[in-house]
Amino acid sequence: MAVAAPDRLHFTGNDEADELIAREPLALLIGFALDQQVPVQTAFAGPLKIKQRLGTLELARRDPDEVEAAFRETPAVHRFPGSMAGRVQDLCALVEEEYGGDASRLWREASDAADLRKRISALPGFGEMKVKALSAVLAKRFGVEVARELAPSHPTLGDVDSPEALEAYQSKKRAHKAKMRAERSG
């Protein structure tokens, strides 16, 4: 089933940020890299803040101190600006080295789901949960067929197609986390 690429992903509530992560594959990857210990909106607004502060998302060859300063500028890109600046710069370096700076090649050139899993897993900070979440977005929002079998059946960001769907997703995620905590402590 072919899916037209969206003009925006409804992850931030900011039209410019939502359009950037839909339009620029590197912005989407950076948003996922930042999606750790911060709200979804904060993580996926990060690429726009970076682009506004540095004029680009291509950070592979930038001075690490300059990148970190951009992450620390108020409001900070992430609650851990130092470590995340390094992680995002490492991500950009990998995209530059492995994919010639074209982040979409990560999924466009994947031969199958196993190859896609290997490619996503090689990204700095991308564990199994991010493999599944990114795959769900690629499959459900961008129609990337090789990502379909990696996408989990439970609700993910891939199901978010409106601001209301984001709120519903976040509510389900909070309930799921509370249930998991209760099971561990009970």
Side-chain angles (χ1 to χ4, degrees):
M1 150 179 107
V3 175
D7 64 344
R8 77 187 68 230
L9 294 173
H10 298 275
F11 295 176
T12 72
N14 173 313
D15 286 341
E16 192 176 358
D18 287 343
E19 289 166 10
L20 179 66
I21 59 175
R23 188 178 65 246
E24 292 194 31
L26 184 58
L28 181 63
L29 292 182
I30 290 171
F32 270 99
L34 295 171
D35 190 19
Q36 181 176 324
Q37 297 182 305
V38 295
V40 168
Q41 294 89 334
T42 301
F44 287 95
L48 179 61
K49 288 179 189 170
I50 295 165
K51 189 164 188 170
Q52 289 170 335
R53 294 170 187 179
L54 294 172
T56 184
L57 292 175
E58 294 167 12
L59 307 179
R61 294 184 183 88
R62 294 300 280 258
D63 178 320
D65 293 336
E66 180 186 20
V67 173
E68 186 173 332
F71 270 65
R72 290 187 185 282
E73 190 177 309
T74 306
V77 171
H78 193 275
R79 68 186 279 203
F80 302 113
S83 61
M84 290 312 258
R87 178 172 291 166
V88 168
Q89 197 161 22
D90 290 346
L91 169 73
C92 293
L94 187 143
V95 168
E96 182 66 34
E97 292 163 18
E98 297 291 322
Y99 304 105
D102 180 355
S104 73
R105 286 180 54 200
L106 182 128
W107 54 85
R108 283 190 302 108
E109 296 176 357
S111 57
D112 57 22
D115 186 34
L116 180 61
R117 176 187 302 279
K118 185 177 116 200
R119 289 165 175 250
I120 297 171
S121 296
L123 299 173
F126 280 66
E128 187 59 24
M129 286 176 56
K130 286 189 187 183
V131 168
K132 290 177 180 178
L134 175 57
S135 295
V137 170
L138 292 173
K140 296 176 180 181
R141 302 274 68 88
F142 293 93
V144 176
E145 287 303 318
V146 295
R148 289 209 185 280
E149 76 178 65
L150 299 178
S153 57
H154 62 75
T156 67
L157 281 173
D159 300 306
V160 174
D161 59 2
S162 68
E164 297 77 22
L166 176 62
E167 179 51 44
Y169 161 74
Q170 289 183 302
S171 178
K172 289 175 191 168
K173 186 176 173 181
R174 283 189 295 273
H176 177 72
K177 284 184 173 185
K179 179 182 174 195
M180 299 303 283
R181 277 192 300 275
E183 288 174 1
R184 280 195 303 266
S185 64

